[in-house]
Amino acid sequence: MSTPELRTPDRPVAPAPRLPWPALLAMSTGGFVTIMTEALPAGVLPAMSADLGVGQSAAGQSVTLYAVGSIAAAIPLTAVTGRLPRKRLLLVSVGGFAVANAVTAVSPSYPLTMAARFAAGLVAGLLWALLAGYARGIVAPEQRGRAMAVAMTGSTVALSVGVPAGTLLAGLVGWRFTFGLMSVAAVALTGWMLLVLPEPPGRSGQSRTPVRRVLRMPGVTAVLAVTATFVLAHNVLYTYVAALLAPLGLDGRTDTVLLVIGLSSLASILGTGALIDRYLRPLTIAASALLAVAALLLAAALLGSAGWPAYAAAAVWGLGFGGAATLLQTAVADAAGPAGDLAQSLLVTCWNLGIAVGGLTGGLLLDHAGPSALPWSALVLLAAALATTLGARRHGFPGGATGACEIDSRSS
């Protein structure tokens, strides 16, 4: 890591290059559309299940099928399309959201809705595998943490504002209208990206790296294990948040609780963007610890049938979850170096395995053990995520601020 240059009369300090804000904001909006598509069913589950004539646990599998699509797509599509232009692939991905959300909005049947959700997951798997590497690839090495934080902000805004607003809008005009609106947004985003996205340089050879070689890179498997357990814990709770709130007398306040989670997540991503380049390890440890505290508060609320701890849990929940995607994507990119795109596809697969298994496991727990079993199950998973993070001090989540710098210098 180089030391800052001092300003002298004959040697002025060169200004830092400016971030490509239009491109990063367009990618951030892509993350917004993706997370809105993924997470909205959690906020509209009662209405969606009633309209499709199925139970809430069955409607919750709309989240699972989306995740299964992402799992099926991330690694093979990233490998197959490794030599294709990144910009073209992002445009195809966003256009896929427009089609899938339009079908969801007008679908008259449960099977067709599930098929559309699976298709949305397919394009999401490709988009998430590309997004982090794209953001890192169009900026200077010293700006990669900030660039990724900006590109990931849209997903947090979706949780903080989009999903609660979509839940509220769905209550007023119907969940189908909300999905239709997201389809229109995806069409507009495709045009915006066409205008502002540059093509990132330097893609030679990445597509030839075998998956097994990436998995053998020091730290990669640790990051993937933390990703799977952390996201599984989050989605056991998040997918069935409406069912968690019902015994507390808050079944009509799902949008408010989601708003608290989201606003707290937004604060988390802002803090992550400012600190990630120096404090990746402590921030990742804090993320698992905070989500564990949120699960404990929810468990306490269900034991006492009191509603107010749920709001405290939501605030802590958002602080733990908001910056997690940026932290984990940065960690795996630093560990994988030049094999970044393929490593991101592995992370996307683990992330969506967490979503899929979370939706399935949460549904089984809800049906057979009731909502009180959900936070305790999440606590076990978070303990595993925290233990893995603590154990990966040398590789994966290294201590100090030098790890990323050393990896960047080796891969440049």
Side-chain angles (χ1 to χ4, degrees), residues 235-246:
N235 279 278
V236 163
L237 300 174
Y238 194 85
T239 305
Y240 299 100
V241 63
L244 277 168
L245 297 175

Side-chain angles (χ1 to χ4, degrees), residues 114-138:
M114 294 301 104
R117 294 291 297 172
F118 179 78
L122 289 175
V123 293
L126 180 59
L127 185 143
W128 280 126
L130 296 172
L131 201 60
Y134 207 120
R136 289 166 65 92
I138 62 174

Side-chain angles (χ1 to χ4, degrees), residues 61-404:
Q61 301 318 303
S62 62
V63 178
T64 304
L65 264 293
Y66 179 100
V68 170
S70 294
I71 293 166
I75 296 174
L77 284 185
T78 301
V80 169
T81 61
R83 294 190 177 278
L84 296 179
R86 306 291 91 184
K87 180 174 180 177
R88 184 183 305 169
L89 290 174
L90 276 179
L91 293 173
V92 169
S93 298
V94 176
F97 280 115
V99 174
N101 283 327
V103 173
T104 301
V106 301
S107 168
S109 70
Y110 178 75
L112 181 58
T113 301
M114 294 301 104
R117 294 291 297 172
F118 179 78
L122 289 175
V123 293
L126 180 59
L127 185 143
W128 280 126
L130 296 172
L131 201 60
Y134 207 120
R136 289 166 65 92
I138 62 174
V139 299
E142 65 271 16
Q143 295 177 315
R144 288 173 180 169
R146 287 186 62 205
M148 191 180 295
V150 173
M152 294 297 107
T153 300
S155 60
T156 306
V157 172
L159 290 172
S160 63
V161 179
V163 175
T167 303
L168 179 62
L169 182 65
L172 296 174
V173 297
W175 64 273
R176 293 181 182 278
F177 179 88
T178 309
F179 273 98
L181 194 61
M182 288 196 297
S183 179
V184 173
V187 172
L189 177 60
T190 303
W192 184 17
M193 284 185 164
L194 184 63
L195 293 175
V196 302
L197 287 187
E199 186 71 42
R203 295 209 34 81
S204 60
Q206 286 193 31
S207 62
R208 299 178 182 175
T209 307
V211 171
R212 62 182 180 276
R213 186 181 302 171
V214 178
L215 289 171
R216 288 200 300 264
M217 291 177 176
V220 169
T221 54
V223 178
L224 297 179
V226 172
T227 300
T229 49
F230 183 91
V231 176
L232 175 55
H234 166 77
N235 279 278
V236 163
L237 300 174
Y238 194 85
T239 305
Y240 299 100
V241 63
L244 277 168
L245 297 175
L248 305 176
L250 299 175
D251 44 333
R253 293 286 184 268
T254 301
D255 54 350
T256 305
V257 172
L258 290 176
L259 179 61
V260 173
I261 294 173
L263 292 175
S264 185
S265 294
L266 187 58
S268 176
I269 192 64
L270 292 174
T272 298
L275 300 173
I276 187 172
D277 289 321
R278 295 194 61 83
Y279 301 108
L280 175 64
R281 177 178 173 82
L283 286 172
T284 309
I285 292 170
S288 292
L290 286 168
L291 195 54
V293 171
L296 276 172
L297 287 170
L298 284 171
L302 288 167
L303 285 173
S305 299
W308 67 265
Y311 290 101
V316 178
W317 188 344
L319 287 175
F321 185 75
T326 303
L327 293 168
L328 295 167
Q329 287 181 301
T330 299
V332 83
D334 287 345
D341 274 5
L342 192 53
Q344 292 295 339
S345 72
L346 289 167
L347 186 138
V348 169
T349 300
C350 288
W351 188 284
N352 285 285
L353 275 170
I355 294 173
V357 178
L360 180 61
T361 303
L364 291 172
L365 288 169
L366 186 64
D367 286 344
H368 297 288
S372 62
L374 300 178
W376 296 111
S377 301
L379 273 172
V380 174
L381 295 163
L382 291 165
L386 188 57
T388 305
T389 306
L390 290 170
R393 184 174 184 86
R394 186 170 180 180
H395 300 292
F397 303 99
T402 60

